[in-house]
Amino acid sequence: MVPSGGRGNGSGRIGTVGVVGLGTMGAGIVEVFAKAGLSVVGVDGTPELAERGKGFLTTSTGKAVARGRLSEQDQKALLDRVTWTASVTDLADVDLVIEAIPERLEFKIDLFSKLDDIVRPDTILASNTSSLSLTTIAAATKHPERVIGMHFFNPAPVLALVEVISTLFTDTKLVREVRDLATRLGKKPVVVGDRAGFVANALLITYLARAIRLYETGSVSREDLDNAMRVGAGFPMGPLTLSDLIGLDVVKEVCDVLYEATKDPSAAPPALLQQMVTAGRLGRKTGQGFYDYGPDADESEQPASSGRALAVSTIGLLGTGEALAQLGETMEAGGLKVVHSVTASAALGEAQIVFVGTDAGCATGECAAGACECDQMGPAQEAISAGLSKIGKNAILAPMDGLAEWAIGTPDEHARVVVPVRLHEPTKGGQVLEIGTGLDSGAREVAAVRTAADRAGLVPVVGRARSGLVVDALLYPHLNDAVAMLDSGYASAQDIDTAMTAGCGYPEGPFTMIDRLGADQVTEGLAVMATTVGGAGPSPLLVEHAVRGRKFLD
Ligand code: CAA
């Protein structure tokens, strides 16, 4: 039990809060509490650091005033609710302390044992640790039952998630109290047990590590990689931009903890990440990470497809499929001439790029039109092969083949350059056309497809022609991890969805995404990737949903 003191039960009794550590997260947490009307004592190691914390809050609330989100009067009242100090002894009379100091276990243990002797016996001790074991921190205190995790997400004033983490020691009434407090702050609490990375970081940081590893291979430029996930998958930021925001040291620390706990190679810190941390390139906070943030910034990397593009004026569409038709419309709207043929037509002879639909078809090409009952629905290679001989010898063949199976497995017998592409559904940021590069695709041909995509207003993403290209190669394993987490009994599908939408700004959670895409599609993608490029196959629970045609959220 929490030792009884002046505060009593109920989050409404929490009126004064201490925040220790006034870096990005700590200062953001101060803002959250002060905005909700609570009194806050902000503490950092030196008067200068405390002053820096005050500066963060003044700047952040100043921006809100400038945007018309906060009146000057309310800003003043908010700032007046906070006192700044370099001494933890000033926390003697607070109801709750939140620690947001650097992620070093020995620092945290030291701080918590100091707090034990300073604060009232009924004061709650919370940690904002992103990955360290709360059980270990709690066990080192005199009253482990009052120790709890309150994990905020960067930027704390914007993102709604608070992971409330309990240990075997934690008083259950305290869990309710802290959950209610988070709600009172306008946040969305998700209550979970003490496990490496909790919900959001375990999923997010593993995905970031995979993305950094992909970037490390040189198969995609940093801008294209970020566009793939921001525009293609609809995430609020690309993985490299997000890593820079979080801080590469923090990403690495969480990788270390996840890998140590799970021995999952996907979570291991990529070599490039380790080197960047050693070199002090920690992202925004040091002015340099995957991107530069200093005054001389903005040197774009050469896109992977650099090279003089072949001129493109006519696009051919061969075969059938919704994506093919949609691509044709978009290209036409972009001012390109588009000729379409289900099987073969001499008109395709003038096209510089022929996009090949692979959705459906039979030798007559009439299946898709509903005029044939030959029952040969499936990949359209056969139907299309008849048409290939009619295509110009120098034309680029661009099969609409997201898994890049066709392009990898079937070299064009007429020795034309094959560049697999995948058109994604439009998202808030636009619509991605992924373009795969292989041994046979020359830089000029890839640049031509890229130029056509640009002209059509699509966002081109050029990456090596491997199963899943870039978007699905990162998205599907991420979704698979969420299913594995559900299967492990750690968190519910709803809580995992809430964690990723409220904590990482996803437009929809992983389970909503799987239900929309279809468990069968994700399963198939993962299975193909596992056999062609490696990685874990689909989780058994995902396969079960695919086979039964069941949704995760009903
Ligand atoms: N502090 C306060 N407010 C901020 C802010 C900050 N640092 N950054 C942005 N905002 C506010 C803006 O003022 C703006 O407010 P209004 O709508 O009231 O005007 C709003 O947020 C949107 O900002 P922008 O229009 O500038 O930009 P955006 O729409 O692209 O949103 C973003 C920016 C909120 C950062 C969004 O891109 C996002 O959610 N990204 C994902 C971030 C993420 O995944 N965070 C979790 C990281 S993991 C973590 O933190 C846990 C850990 O332990 C490592």
Side-chain angles (χ1 to χ4, degrees), residues 14 34 37 54 90 119 135 149 186 198 206 359 363 365 377 398 450 481 494:
I14 300 171
K54 184 179 177 182
D90 289 335
V119 299
T135 308
F198 315 125
T206 307
D359 279 12
M377 301 293 280
R450 185 171 194 124
D481 288 346
Q494 285 80 2

Side-chain angles (χ1 to χ4, degrees), residues 25 31 60 67 69 130 151-155 157-159 201 204-205 236-237 242 245-246 250 254 428 503-505:
M25 285 311 293
E31 183 172 337
S60 177
R67 285 180 182 232
R69 303 272 187 198
S130 43
H151 185 215
F152 290 80
F153 287 76
N154 185 11
V158 182
L159 292 172
N201 275 348
L204 181 76
I205 303 291
M237 286 178 159
L242 179 55
L245 174 78
I246 295 171
V250 177
V254 181
K428 205 175 115 201
C504 307

Side-chain angles (χ1 to χ4, degrees), residues 7 14-19 33 38-39 41 91 93-99 119-120 122-127 146 148 150 152 174 178 181 185:
R7 179 175 45 77
I14 300 171
T16 307
V17 174
V19 178
F33 280 100
L38 285 89
S39 302
V41 182
L91 299 176
D93 205 31
V94 300
D95 304 313
L96 162 74
V97 178
I98 300 195
E99 160 283 303
V119 299
R120 290 195 319 254
D122 68 331
T123 297
I124 302 164
L125 298 185
S127 172
R146 66 168 169 177
I148 196 161
M150 265 191 108
F152 290 80
L174 178 64
V178 170
L181 171 67
L185 298 172

Side-chain angles (χ1 to χ4, degrees), residues 173-194:
K173 272 198 221 127
L174 178 64
V175 175
R176 278 200 298 276
E177 192 177 2
V178 170
R179 188 196 56 200
D180 293 348
L181 171 67
T183 308
R184 198 177 130 203
L185 298 172
K187 299 290 184 189
K188 286 192 180 169
V190 165
V191 178
V192 282
D194 185 19

Side-chain angles (χ1 to χ4, degrees), residues 72-88:
E72 278 185 30
Q73 200 182 0
D74 287 345
Q75 182 197 22
K76 183 176 179 315
L78 188 156
L79 294 175
D80 286 348
R81 280 196 283 277
V82 187
T83 52
W84 307 93
T85 173
S87 174
V88 275

